[in-house]
Every structure is written in structure tokens, then in C-alpha cells.
Amino acid sequence: MIEVRNLCKRFGPQPVLEDVSLYIEAGESVVIIGRSGGGKSVLLKHLVGLLTPDSGEVRIEGRNIAGLDERELMPIRRKFGMLFQGAALFDSMSVGENIAFALRHQTDLTGPDIARKVAHALELVELHDIQNKKPSELSGGMRKRVGLARAIVYQPAIILYDEPTTGLDPVVSDSIDRLIMRINNQLDATTIVVTHDMRSARRLGRRIIMLHQHRVYTTAPAAELFESTDPVISRFVNGISDDRENLE
């Protein structure tokens, strides 16, 4: 469903992604890990055409989207739902208005049809009767769930999660992990998760892609990666710093 070929991206003189190649099958659940600033979120933005590579290809269902204009990208983007790191809700809108935003602007659905879809999306994320609340009235975990409801309201084929458990306590993080797994099973969606949370990575990733020094360092099943004796992998997944690297 997704293939990246020799992707390179710089911001000014700073390389962010260098010769990155990977594939993700339809229905697969993949986790992307790596150090902060290593290009994980930048990679996600390339998948939906928010960024254009300096060189290389990003293929969605066989079509290279690199270089497409906004009009050409619209049908590609409708295949995706995305939960942003901070949920990215509109503070001035109610929960229901946030979730309905894309439906109102990109479909011809009637008001009652949109209301039914919003209610169903909230039911999927285990929230009820909060359509009229404002984001400021919600806890961090609830805001994440509302962000997820907005991402899945039109049942996309691919769901992207950018640090879904950042800033949440372990109990709420556990509930978000379980919710992601349940949504993935119910919608049969292709799931791509960027995370620093190794417990989430172990749970959510049937396969894990690790970025290191702007490149794909390894791709492996979760069990294999967490048992690796490779020093770069082992230090990262166990949270052990490399003093020599920190001094450089």
C-alpha cells in the first residue's frame, strides 16, 4: 500500500532523511522509532504530501505522490486519517464541530448524516454525549480520543499516529494503546505509529522500523527487535545513553 524509495530531505544545510526506503503492506501495523529529531514526523508528513522530498519517491497504492499539486493530492489524502501529537483540536469549536470539520468541508453529507457519523466515531473511541463540550473542558486522554475520532470519522484506509501517548500517564497511555489496537481491528486499517514509548512500540508494532542517523537502520518484527544484541538497537529500546555519542 505504501512504498518509499530513496527519500532524501534537508532543511537548509541540515539533513533530516537520507536515502530512506521502506514498504508497508495493506492492513499492517507498523511502528517507527528513533531518536528525537531523527526524521520520524517528517517521514509521516511526506506520506500525506504535506512535505515534498528533495529527491526520491513516495508511492501510495503504486502512485508516486511526490510533486503532485494540491488538487491532485486531495483524493490521496482522503485515504488517510491522522492523530497529531497534541491532538490539534480547534479550541474555538465544540467536540462535535471538530470531528465533523472534514465531513462538512469535503463531502455533500446532510447535517443529520454528519451527526450520526460523529456519534458513531465517538462511540468507537468510547466517549459519549460530549459533542457540545469544548476541548478546554477535556482531560489530555479525552482530547487524544477526540483527535482519534476526528481521524477515523470517514473510515480511512490508513491511520497515522504521531506520538499518541506523549504527555499521558501510564494508565491513560495503556488505554490509548488498547484503543488503537481495537480501532485497527474494527476498521481493518493500515496503522503507522511514531512513538518514543517502547511499551507502546512492543504492543502496537507487528513490525518496527528504526531510524538512526537519518536512515533506516533496521526493520524487524517487534519480538526480534526487542531481543536484539545490536548495541545501537539495544541502547535505544532500553533507554541507555552512549556517552561517546553524547560528547560528539
Side-chain angles (χ1 to χ4, degrees):
M1 175 168 275
I2 298 171
E3 184 178 10
V4 177
R5 299 179 181 176
N6 309 114
L7 175 63
C8 295
K9 184 66 177 180
R10 286 177 170 264
F11 293 124
Q14 178 64 38
V16 180
L17 298 170
E18 293 186 317
D19 199 30
V20 168
S21 296
L22 57 89
Y23 71 90
I24 298 170
E25 302 282 3
E28 201 175 9
S29 183
V30 172
V31 169
I32 302 173
I33 63 173
R35 295 190 64 171
S36 297
K40 304 181 298 299
S41 295
V42 171
L43 178 58
L44 286 191
K45 290 175 182 178
H46 278 87
L47 298 185
V48 293
L50 294 175
L51 289 174
T52 301
D54 297 333
S55 61
E57 298 182 356
V58 177
R59 292 187 169 271
I60 308 299
E61 296 183 332
R63 185 180 185 186
N64 182 19
I65 68 169
L68 296 184
D69 61 30
E70 288 296 311
R71 181 183 59 80
E72 293 170 318
L73 282 169
M74 285 305 297
I76 303 294
R77 288 177 178 159
R78 290 194 184 103
K79 300 177 187 292
F80 288 85
M82 185 165 183
L83 175 60
F84 295 92
Q85 186 169 334
L89 302 177
F90 298 109
D91 291 334
S92 61
M93 295 183 182
S94 68
V95 166
E97 289 169 337
N98 267 283
I99 297 171
F101 185 82
L103 296 178
R104 294 190 188 282
H105 288 81
Q106 299 175 11
T107 72
D108 296 323
L109 293 174
T110 64
D113 287 337
I114 290 174
R116 280 191 289 271
K117 284 185 174 292
V118 168
H120 179 61
L122 283 170
E123 182 179 340
L124 286 176
V125 300
E126 300 174 341
L127 292 175
H128 306 280
D129 301 323
I130 66 164
Q131 286 93 326
N132 295 323
K133 290 185 178 292
K134 290 291 181 69
S136 60
E137 301 177 74
L138 308 178
S139 67
M142 291 175 73
R143 285 195 294 271
K144 291 278 189 178
R145 288 172 182 263
V146 172
L148 179 53
R150 183 177 61 184
I152 65 174
V153 69
Y154 51 91
Q155 297 189 321
I158 307 163
I159 307 176
L160 309 180
Y161 299 87
D162 191 4
E163 299 287 359
T165 59
T166 291
L168 304 178
D169 67 54
V171 174
V172 177
S173 295
D174 177 74
S175 71
I176 295 295
D177 285 346
R178 293 177 183 275
L179 181 61
I180 290 172
M181 289 187 288
R182 187 167 62 79
I183 293 294
N184 184 39
N185 290 333
Q186 288 188 1
L187 299 185
D188 195 27
T190 302
T191 302
I192 305 169
V193 181
V194 162
T195 186
H196 286 107
D197 185 334
M198 290 302 101
R199 185 175 69 169
S200 291
R202 190 189 293 267
R203 283 175 135 189
L204 301 177
R206 297 175 190 166
R207 188 162 58 92
I208 297 180
I209 298 170
M210 181 175 178
L211 299 181
H212 180 66
Q213 295 183 342
H214 318 299
R215 301 174 183 269
V216 173
Y217 186 79
T218 191
T219 300
E224 181 180 315
L225 182 129
F226 280 97
E227 293 172 2
S228 175
T229 57
D230 180 291
V232 172
I233 299 171
S234 180
R235 282 196 301 268
F236 184 82
V237 300
N238 291 295
I240 302 170
S241 67
D242 181 350
D243 291 338
R244 292 170 302 174
E245 187 175 282
N246 291 336
L247 290 171
E248 291 177 357

